Amino acid sequence: MMAQNSTAVTPEDRYFETADGFKMHYRVCGTGEPLIILPGYSETEDSFDSNYEELQKHFTVYTVEYRAHGKSEAPSHGYHTERLAADFKEFLDHEDLNKVNVVAHSMGNSILWCYFEIFGQDRIGKYILEEEGPTFMSDPAWSEEEKQTYRGVMDWDMYLRSEMIEMMFQQKSGETADQLAERRRGLARLWKDHIANDWSDIIPTIKVDTMIMMGAKSHFAAEPLWNFMHKSIKNSKLEIVEDAGHNIHADTPDKFNQLIIDYLS
């Protein structure tokens, strides 16, 4: 199931080159069965610092950093959900991973759903779906209940403003102003691509065992959305974390870690 020498007791930085020619970074720590973390938009390996200490006791944890995120390179192209799904597939190939468990947060779920649509589900064991809805853009014909079913309670249009990208992605050490501007342009394209997708037809095709983990204080805190996700994914379990918002792993790390350990054991 795991590639040779994939266990890393101390955190290890690893890289591989994608098919379109850029260096992608991922963090490896822990011992045991593989557990892959697919972070959300703008998140890096550091976003899960509250979780590694406990999770690495039970699993070999791989945290993927997408293009232009964290220590991964920022090419001038490829800022589409389909390309990130291909990056994930190439990561699995590079580490020779099969039947692995996956924790996906926010946009990480969209990447996994895209992976399912293109490459199938055979290489995934169990799936922890943390905080994501099927779409962000609203159909003018939808009722208020339909809006909450598919996109939660947030007005996502406000997040198309350029100020959001500037706020979320600051200049890295050693990065020039021109490099920062180029990276932000790519990330803006990725964000537009991400929120324009509608995965409501793909979600019912998910066959792997799934735990849906939603925060009661999140912008996705809408019972119609919770019910749609739970009913659409046949082999699913729904967990509502009362004291958490969108970032359950950071808001309530002990609860998050224990839910994962219990579910995968």
Side-chain angles (χ1 to χ4, degrees):
M1 182 177 291
M2 290 183 286
Q4 187 176 7
N5 298 325
S6 61
T7 296
V9 177
T10 57
E12 180 182 339
D13 290 321
R14 296 187 188 176
Y15 297 85
F16 74 97
E17 186 171 313
T18 64
D20 62 338
F22 94 102
K23 189 181 291 185
M24 183 168 170
H25 170 259
Y26 56 102
R27 178 192 196 271
V28 186
C29 67
T31 59
E33 293 296 305
L35 176 64
I36 300 170
I37 296 177
L38 293 178
Y41 182 81
S42 82
E43 289 185 318
T44 67
E45 60 177 355
D46 297 341
S47 303
F48 294 84
D49 280 348
S50 300
N51 311 107
Y52 294 129
E53 183 177 358
E54 185 60 31
L55 292 179
Q56 69 184 5
K57 297 175 184 176
H58 305 268
F59 313 105
T60 302
V61 183
Y62 299 78
T63 307
V64 176
E65 291 192 319
Y66 314 123
R67 53 186 65 207
H69 288 68
K71 299 172 184 173
S72 290
E73 290 183 344
S76 61
H77 59 277
Y79 293 95
H80 307 280
T81 308
E82 294 86 352
R83 182 58 250 180
L84 270 63
D87 292 344
F88 175 58
K89 191 263 185 190
E90 291 166 16
F91 156 75
L92 294 177
D93 292 344
H94 179 75
E95 282 286 341
D96 191 24
L97 294 168
N98 289 286
K99 285 299 178 186
V100 292
N101 301 316
V102 177
V103 178
H105 176 237
S106 196
M107 186 186 74
N109 291 285
S110 297
I111 294 167
L112 189 62
W113 298 338
C114 187
Y115 171 87
F116 285 161
E117 182 177 31
I118 299 171
F119 301 108
Q121 304 176 34
D122 292 345
R123 298 180 74 171
I124 307 303
K126 289 186 175 181
Y127 168 29
I128 293 92
L129 190 169
E130 182 195 2
E131 274 286 308
E132 183 70 325
T135 190
F136 297 87
M137 306 302 283
S138 181
D139 186 321
W142 283 348
S143 66
E144 191 59 38
E145 182 175 354
E146 286 173 313
K147 290 179 183 178
Q148 291 193 24
T149 297
Y150 299 117
R151 67 197 293 250
V153 295
M154 176 75 80
D155 179 9
W156 290 101
D157 298 339
M158 65 179 285
Y159 280 86
L160 285 169
R161 295 182 298 196
S162 60
E163 292 87 346
M164 186 205 76
I165 303 295
E166 294 173 4
M167 177 186 69
M168 296 177 79
F169 296 97
Q170 303 299 313
Q171 193 165 14
K172 296 180 181 179
S173 175
E175 185 177 42
T176 68
D178 287 345
Q179 288 171 331
L180 173 62
E182 179 67 26
R183 183 164 62 95
R184 283 175 170 172
R185 281 193 290 271
L187 290 162
R189 289 196 297 274
L190 176 60
W191 179 252
K192 286 186 290 184
D193 182 84
H194 170 49
I195 69 171
N197 280 307
D198 181 353
W199 302 103
S200 57
D201 61 332
I202 299 301
I203 290 168
T205 70
I206 296 174
K207 297 181 176 63
V208 298
D209 290 344
T210 303
M211 177 169 64
I212 303 164
M213 198 186 304
M214 306 296 276
K217 298 179 179 179
S218 166
H219 47 257
F220 287 126
E223 193 167 342
L225 186 151
W226 296 342
N227 291 338
F228 170 79
M229 301 293 285
H230 186 31
K231 290 177 181 177
S232 295
I233 303 174
K234 292 181 174 58
N235 300 315
S236 67
K237 174 184 181 181
L238 177 62
E239 291 282 353
I240 307 301
V241 183
E242 293 298 332
D243 296 326
H246 183 54
N247 300 318
I248 302 172
H249 58 277
D251 294 342
T252 55
D254 292 343
K255 177 70 171 178
F256 177 85
N257 295 340
Q258 197 59 54
L259 283 171
I260 290 173
I261 293 163
D262 291 347
Y263 184 66
L264 296 183
S265 63

